[in-house]
Amino acid sequence: MNELNKQIKIYNTAKNMRLIIWIFVLIFILLIGYLFYSISTFGERWFLTPYNPRISSAKSNIAAGSILDRSGVKLAYTSNGNRKYAENASARKAVSHVVGDTYGLTRGAESFFSKQLYGFDDNIIDRVEQAIKGNTRQGNDITLTISASLSKTIAEKISKGAAVVMNYKTGEILACVSVPGFDPTKLEDFHDDNESTILFNRATMGKYAPGSIFKVITATAVLESTISEDFEVECTGSIEIEGKTISCAGGTSHGKVNLNRAFDKSCNVYFSTVAQKLGGATLQKTAERYAFNDEFLFSDIILYKSIYEQSHDNFTLASAGFGQYDTLITPLHACLIAAAVANGGNMPVPVLLKNETSAGGSDLYTMKSKTYIAPISKSVADKLKSMMLSVVENGTGTNAAISGKKVAGKTGTAQYVDKNGEMKENAWFIGFLDDEKYPYCVSVIVENGGSGGKNAAPIAKTALSAALKLKD
Amino acid sequence: MNDVFETVAYISRYWFVFVILVILIGLIIVSVGEYRRKRKAKTAKENAEFEEYEEEHEYSEEYIEEYSNEYEKAPEKREIKSFITKGSAGIIIFLMCLFVLSAFTLLTFANESFDINAIALGLGICFAIVVLYLVLKKIYPSVDRFTFIIPMFLTAIGLVLQYRLSQEYGVKQFIWFGVGIVAMFIAIEVIRRIKSFGKLNYLFATVCLGLLCSTLIFSRSIGGAKNWLEIAGFSIQPSEFGKILFIIVSAYFFSNKRKPRVFMPYVIFSVVSVLILVVAKDLGAALLYALTFIVMLYAATGKKLLTLGAVGTMGVGAVIAYYLFPHVKTRVDIWQDPWAVHQDSGYQIVQGLMAIASGSFLGMGLTLGYPSVIPAARTDFIFAVVCEEFGIIFGIAVIAFYLLIIIRGAIIALNAKTMFDQLLVFGVTAMLSLQCFIIIGGVIKLIPLTGITLPFLSYGGSSMVSCMILLGIMQGVAIKSEARQ
């Protein structure tokens, strides 16, 4: 009796133990799975943090490869163990944020492509060959998609801000300028005093209120909704929502406006009205389809997250409708949105690394174009395109027009409160060339630049005209 | 010369990953094959035995009815002897030696000088493992080879990395390994001779609490936690030895007194142990003790509500600790975003993650990484070093080895003949697996980091010796079960 009792007890504990062992097996599989997932997703980024001591130590015994621009201009190279940069000081500054520095202060190509530049990705044969020859280990050379001359042209036009020019079909970044830039040759004793923001890459890390360029997204939501394009709003220059006033730029009253006219004139009253009609959820969904709140783990470039906050009442929803509220966007992301409209609804993955060649001259890598996401359908993209063409033709963006070319765009004038409590305005412009041969899009922000149509659109025009002259 | 060495070290990473995968796959194939064969052979024998058993014992119908339900639910009890046949064990040990020797050969040529000690240590390790294996087989023919071979391999990997991190500590660790072997033999002998420790358990409980308290009173603080005790020039970590007593006491109480009201003194003992560790800021050990307690509670009683209650209490305790102790809150905050504080409080974990990421899948190559920048590289963060130099495929194989030990431990537990033995081995297995999970999970940022050693790999005399004792307990029970058949 007692014997059986004992046996049954053991059987029961055995059952319990089996369950627990299964749980252990599961948590160990979770451990393995998480390790695999986190390294394959974030491994590259974690390795490439500028303060990774492995990279700084590689610098001491490996001759880093050269960084070239798309036409072969040397942006950075190693000569006799010293790192040298482009001759021309203003060109050096114009590409400084893309190229980066060797001290690990910024996250440009010097640190982000250190795997290539210091030959961490060398294949065995190359390594054995170099070891046998007894050479100092040589990193690989990389060619970037940017053009130094285009970057310089753009940088000279911007007082403070950022601009991005991109090929919307291939995703190649032709220029990614952040002003003020820095001189990589004068960073040795640099101390960041938080006052100078020269090390800060405004194009990829700067988060700005989008202002009226966000109307592209609100317009998308309208086009996809049941609201008719001919739905009209009577604009008297301002509108009162929940006791607060929303007004159009300069208090101009636009009269009766439908979607096309409101987009042309950048009418805040129209967009705040339709935002309320659309509802917070729809607007947020549309914004997130355009990659707001997205982590952007691109392999070529670090792009900070753009933010769309959930609105919590009608006033914030209405403000979000024309890009005020708490919405924030990076200039590169703004350029990607223009690219999606221009490219029939497909947002390309931004490409910065054009190709990589070993010290021996063999090709190790050539860029591939990919679609990142497709936020909108072709038909919506085409409608938006014609609206944006009209903005440059006879709306707020006429200053961006280039004779003989079809230019599309959207201006923005985003209000913000600076640290002294003063109300300032950032000038925005996003746009593109509607041209099969020159598929270039652009985004420009001028900090404290006032009206987007007056001060950002001309820079976009300069940038696109200069891009048209590029050889390939 | 230097470049040639670096190139060789770089290429050798393929070799190390290859060897560990061969060993891992070999172990899995052999074990699965053996498992199937034994199972077939046993089922026939078991059925006959069971019928015989039933004929011998006749019970009143009432009694049988009462238990028949549970009886049906109980899975058939299987006997699985040693998985590995002599031949395959030999091959696996040969591969292990090959791994150790090639690694130490590489270390011999590191630092641009011929370091004869490295190759000597490599040979010493191989010699120790082979001799130990033969001796163990000779004295205890029924020794569980699985639970011996895997920990030896892990220890060997540990010794390679310890020597690579610091030659002095590598040699020290080898000495601790020797001490651990002696401790293992003592543990095997003690466990196979005794039935249960009886009233001695009250003494054990007192000693355990005494050990845990001792750090509070005498210790100096290392890394913010008070968990070291300095005696005659040696730093010892009492919580490592407390673990063993804790498991023995748990097994005793749960095997004899399975009604919640009766084992109340034991519950108080467990709670007090955990509280002492929390006060000593040894959060890793506190978590380990608490989880082991809960796991054993469920294994022994099978009471779901009681177990959930214990989990709930622990959860509430953790929440209170979060708000009460700033260092607990810091740990959780770091876990959420270590990169935001990479220069101060998150420095360690960020360095660890960077090391793992730098190793990527195949590793940077032995001696080519920079593990010295990781705080506590040789102890808590040894897993990051493994991943940096050997790659995460190797790291995953290491996790798989721990998993094999767990499964093997579970099988020994299921085959044990008494409740005490069963719970003892189960407690050991549970503690080893939880310990691995807590520290590896912490290092790879799956869970908040709480400092604790990684069994067999981390540097530390206390950790090494206590792990070998735990291994001895498993072996002791395995030998005892076989002998009683």
Side-chain angles (χ1 to χ4, degrees):
Chain A
M1 194 98 151
N2 204 9
E3 184 69 12
L4 181 65
N5 203 348
K6 207 170 140 195
Q7 283 292 321
I8 288 169
K9 268 188 183 175
I10 288 193
Y11 282 153
N12 274 340
T13 45
K15 197 183 73 185
N16 303 338
M17 284 177 189
R18 280 209 177 85
L19 176 70
I20 292 168
I21 293 301
W22 274 116
I23 294 173
F24 283 164
V25 170
L26 283 180
I27 63 172
F28 270 66
I29 290 172
L30 176 70
L31 213 54
I32 293 174
Y34 180 79
L35 179 61
F36 196 85
Y37 155 80
S38 64
I39 295 304
S40 43
T41 319
F42 304 104
E44 196 90 331
R45 307 231 145 183
W46 290 349
F47 171 73
L48 294 170
T49 42
Y51 37 86
N52 187 344
R54 288 149 199 90
I55 295 172
S56 17
S57 110
K59 285 173 186 166
S60 60
N61 51 30
I62 299 172
S66 307
I67 302 175
L68 310 171
D69 90 336
R70 63 185 296 119
S71 44
V73 176
K74 275 191 178 176
L75 302 179
Y77 57 99
T78 307
S79 140
N80 294 330
N82 295 319
R83 199 69 174 153
K84 298 270 165 71
Y85 294 90
E87 293 273 320
N88 184 310
S90 58
R92 214 153 55 210
K93 274 192 176 175
V95 298
S96 58
H97 288 284
V98 174
V99 172
D101 68 298
T102 47
Y103 305 100
L105 296 170
T106 59
R107 309 191 77 176
E110 288 275 47
S111 71
F112 200 63
F113 292 123
S114 48
K115 225 170 200 166
Q116 287 83 357
L117 291 171
Y118 295 98
F120 283 105
D121 60 345
D122 272 358
N123 60 35
I124 287 198
I125 300 156
D126 277 0
R127 247 184 121 129
V128 173
E129 210 178 279
Q130 286 191 17
I132 290 169
K133 282 185 190 156
N135 296 342
T136 321
R137 272 189 57 205
Q138 285 269 328
N140 303 320
D141 295 340
I142 58 172
T143 304
L144 302 181
T145 56
I146 60 160
S147 156
S149 60
L150 176 63
S151 305
K152 190 165 157 260
T153 312
I154 297 170
E156 280 162 359
K157 287 271 176 185
I158 299 177
S159 52
K160 194 175 188 185
V164 180
V165 181
M166 189 172 176
N167 181 320
Y168 55 76
K169 286 205 152 69
T170 62
E172 285 170 274
I173 296 170
L174 302 177
C176 182
V177 178
S178 170
V179 184
F182 59 90
D183 191 335
T185 60
K186 289 176 185 151
L187 279 183
E188 195 154 11
D189 302 312
F190 183 82
H191 296 290
D192 204 349
D193 49 9
N194 287 326
E195 280 298 308
S196 71
T197 51
I198 57 168
L199 294 183
F200 183 68
N201 188 347
R202 291 172 158 74
T204 55
M205 299 170 179
K207 294 180 180 178
Y208 299 94
S212 297
I213 62 167
F214 191 84
K215 285 172 187 163
V216 173
I217 286 135
T218 314
T220 305
V222 173
L223 289 170
E224 289 171 348
S225 74
T226 50
I227 301 171
S228 155
E229 283 172 56
D230 301 322
F231 166 75
E232 284 188 339
V233 171
E234 176 77 45
C235 169
T236 54
S238 69
I239 184 173
E240 195 139 309
I241 296 166
E242 294 190 349
K244 290 169 198 149
T245 312
I246 285 173
S247 52
C248 284
T252 320
S253 85
H254 297 116
K256 276 197 169 191
V257 287
N258 62 9
L259 179 63
N260 281 320
R261 206 176 136 68
F263 198 79
D264 271 2
K265 299 293 169 206
S266 203
C267 172
N268 290 346
V269 171
Y270 175 87
F271 281 96
S272 49
T273 311
V274 290
Q276 291 175 78
K277 273 181 85 106
L278 289 164
T282 312
L283 199 56
Q284 180 167 5
K285 241 186 226 162
T286 314
E288 285 178 350
R289 280 214 327 267
Y290 272 104
F292 275 87
N293 300 338
D294 208 344
E295 288 292 346
F296 294 125
L297 294 172
F298 296 131
S299 60
D300 282 9
I301 197 160
I302 296 173
L303 176 57
Y304 279 20
K305 185 159 90 171
S306 293
I307 292 163
Y308 183 87
E309 293 271 0
Q310 200 177 352
S311 50
H312 47 80
D313 58 25
N314 273 338
F315 177 74
T316 52
L317 173 59
S319 313
F322 60 96
Q324 283 302 143
Y325 186 43
D326 285 345
T327 314
L328 293 172
I329 189 171
T330 58
L332 177 54
H333 183 206
C335 190
L336 286 171
I337 290 172
V341 175
N343 197 25
N346 293 325
M347 188 184 284
V349 172
V351 174
L352 189 58
L353 183 60
K354 200 167 166 64
N355 60 49
E356 180 193 359
T357 48
S358 73
S362 54
D363 281 338
L364 299 175
Y365 173 87
T366 311
M367 59 159 275
K368 284 176 207 76
S369 300
K370 278 184 230 129
T371 301
Y372 178 57
I373 44 171
I376 44 173
S377 68
K378 176 99 174 55
S379 61
V380 173
D382 286 344
K383 274 184 195 158
L384 285 170
K385 188 192 278 184
S386 65
M387 283 160 64
M388 286 172 75
L389 282 166
S390 156
V391 168
V392 176
E393 214 170 298
N394 46 35
T396 53
T398 44
N399 285 335
I402 300 171
S403 63
K405 291 284 167 200
K406 286 206 279 183
V407 181
K410 181 74 195 82
T411 58
T413 309
Q415 297 180 327
Y416 70 103
V417 180
D418 76 353
K419 57 178 186 277
N420 302 326
E422 282 174 56
M423 193 64 112
K424 295 272 174 67
E425 283 173 336
N426 284 338
W428 268 108
F429 185 88
I430 62 171
F432 54 88
L433 285 169
D434 184 19
D435 193 316
E436 277 297 310
K437 210 175 154 216
Y438 302 100
Y440 303 140
C441 58
V442 66
S443 85
V444 176
I445 180 161
V446 183
E447 282 182 28
N448 194 14
S451 150
K454 271 190 202 125
N455 299 314
I459 298 173
K461 178 187 175 182
T462 313
L464 289 176
S465 322
L468 280 169
K469 288 180 198 130
L470 287 179
K471 289 269 159 57
D472 71 314
Chain B
M1 178 63 203
N2 198 18
D3 277 350
V4 175
F5 171 77
E6 274 186 18
T7 311
V8 172
Y10 183 75
I11 295 169
S12 70
R13 60 195 197 141
Y14 296 97
W15 161 249
F16 292 126
V17 171
F18 173 73
V19 174
I20 200 167
L21 288 180
V22 170
I23 294 177
L24 178 63
I25 293 167
L27 282 169
I28 292 172
I29 290 174
V30 172
S31 61
V32 170
E34 287 282 340
Y35 183 83
R36 283 194 174 157
R37 210 164 63 215
K38 296 276 182 199
R39 198 168 146 186
K40 250 184 193 171
K42 285 292 165 192
T43 325
K45 197 178 151 206
E46 245 173 32
N47 288 343
E49 270 177 6
F50 188 68
E51 274 164 27
E52 205 178 299
Y53 181 84
E54 266 193 329
E55 277 167 27
E56 273 176 39
H57 308 261
E58 280 179 30
Y59 302 102
S60 70
E61 282 189 11
E62 247 176 73
Y63 191 92
I64 290 175
E65 207 172 302
E66 189 183 326
Y67 282 106
S68 61
N69 281 341
E70 281 175 79
Y71 223 168
E72 270 167 29
K73 266 188 262 166
E76 58 180 273
K77 200 162 156 56
R78 296 184 208 108
E79 297 286 336
I80 304 122
K81 283 185 193 166
S82 297
F83 281 166
I84 312 176
T85 58
K86 262 184 196 163
S88 40
I91 293 171
I92 286 168
I93 290 184
F94 171 75
L95 286 170
M96 274 165 55
C97 291
L98 215 55
F99 174 89
V100 173
L101 288 177
S102 49
F104 274 103
T105 310
L106 200 61
L107 292 179
T108 306
F109 294 100
N111 304 324
E112 297 178 29
S113 63
F114 187 80
D115 177 14
I116 191 78
N117 291 339
I119 197 74
L121 185 60
L123 285 169
I125 293 167
C126 293
F127 181 75
I129 291 176
V130 172
V131 169
L132 198 57
Y133 176 71
L134 294 175
V135 168
L136 216 54
K137 278 300 294 177
K138 184 83 186 162
I139 309 179
Y140 313 111
S142 52
V143 69
D144 191 292
R145 278 172 283 191
F146 229 118
T147 24
F148 174 72
I149 289 177
I150 302 171
M152 284 311 108
F153 188 44
L154 291 170
T155 309
I157 297 171
L159 284 166
V160 168
L161 289 173
Q162 295 304 339
Y163 192 82
R164 178 256 176 275
L165 285 169
S166 143
Q167 303 179 347
E168 184 199 343
Y169 282 92
V171 175
K172 270 192 187 169
Q173 177 82 338
F174 185 60
I175 295 167
W176 285 121
F177 175 51
V179 177
I181 288 168
V182 175
M184 183 182 81
F185 273 103
I186 295 172
I188 293 177
E189 277 304 309
V190 171
I191 293 297
R192 66 183 274 257
R193 273 156 209 265
I194 55 103
K195 205 165 171 232
S196 135
F197 291 97
K199 293 279 176 241
L200 264 179
N201 279 292
Y202 290 94
L203 177 67
F204 287 166
T206 320
V207 173
C208 181
L209 289 179
L211 279 173
L212 298 181
C213 279
S214 64
T215 54
L216 273 184
I217 302 164
F218 304 109
S219 84
R220 63 209 171 84
S221 157
I222 293 183
K226 280 185 165 185
N227 46 13
W228 293 84
L229 203 60
E230 204 146 318
I231 295 172
F234 287 108
S235 291
I236 67 161
Q237 208 172 355
S239 68
E240 289 284 348
F241 296 102
K243 283 196 313 203
I244 300 161
L245 295 175
F246 185 79
I247 295 172
I248 295 176
V249 173
S250 308
Y252 167 75
F253 275 96
F254 281 132
S255 62
N256 287 343
K257 308 172 174 182
R258 305 201 305 147
K259 289 214 167 62
R261 248 176 263 114
V262 192
F263 60 65
M264 215 48 211
Y266 163 70
V267 173
I268 292 168
F269 157 72
S270 308
V271 171
V272 170
S273 305
V274 173
L275 286 180
I276 293 171
L277 287 166
V278 171
V279 173
K281 295 190 181 176
D282 192 350
L283 297 178
L287 189 61
L288 180 61
Y289 277 55
L291 288 174
T292 307
F293 167 75
I294 289 170
V295 162
M296 290 196 73
L297 176 73
Y298 180 73
T301 64
K303 290 188 165 57
K304 292 199 174 71
L305 275 179
L306 190 67
T307 314
L308 283 179
V311 173
T313 314
M314 197 189 128
V316 171
V319 172
I320 292 173
Y322 178 82
Y323 287 107
L324 209 59
F325 301 113
H327 63 276
V328 179
K329 192 173 183 303
T330 318
R331 295 289 175 96
V332 177
D333 293 347
I334 296 170
W335 171 60
Q336 280 168 343
D337 189 7
W339 301 93
V341 283
H342 72 89
Q343 273 169 332
D344 39 84
S345 55
Y347 183 77
Q348 186 178 31
I349 187 146
V350 163
Q351 290 297 332
L353 289 176
M354 234 149 48
I356 297 172
S358 304
S360 192
F361 289 96
L362 289 167
M364 294 188 83
L366 186 61
T367 72
L368 300 184
Y370 296 83
S372 49
V373 297
I374 314 168
R378 72 169 58 91
T379 52
D380 297 359
F381 268 66
I382 193 76
F383 188 74
V385 183
V386 171
C387 289
E388 170 169 14
E389 301 233 306
F390 290 124
I392 66 164
I393 295 178
F394 195 98
I396 287 173
V398 166
I399 299 177
F401 281 129
Y402 284 114
L403 194 53
L404 286 176
I405 299 181
I406 295 164
I407 293 172
R408 194 56 214 161
I411 291 170
I412 297 176
L414 295 176
N415 284 343
K417 291 288 180 282
T418 66
M419 272 296 285
F420 175 72
D421 283 352
Q422 195 172 48
L423 286 171
L424 192 61
V425 175
F426 186 75
V428 168
T429 311
M431 190 162 261
L432 281 176
S433 38
L434 288 169
Q435 193 172 342
C436 293
F437 180 74
I438 290 171
I439 186 62
I440 296 179
V443 168
I444 68 175
K445 202 179 85 75
L446 178 62
I447 54 172
L449 176 68
T450 48
I452 199 166
T453 56
L454 184 58
F456 305 111
L457 278 170
S458 286
Y459 175 79
S462 309
S463 166
M464 193 69 198
V465 172
S466 81
C467 286
M468 292 301 272
I469 293 176
L470 293 179
L471 200 58
I473 293 176
M474 281 166 106
Q475 293 288 12
V477 172
I479 292 163
K480 187 155 59 168
S481 315
E482 290 290 325
R484 285 191 56 180
Q485 266 222 305

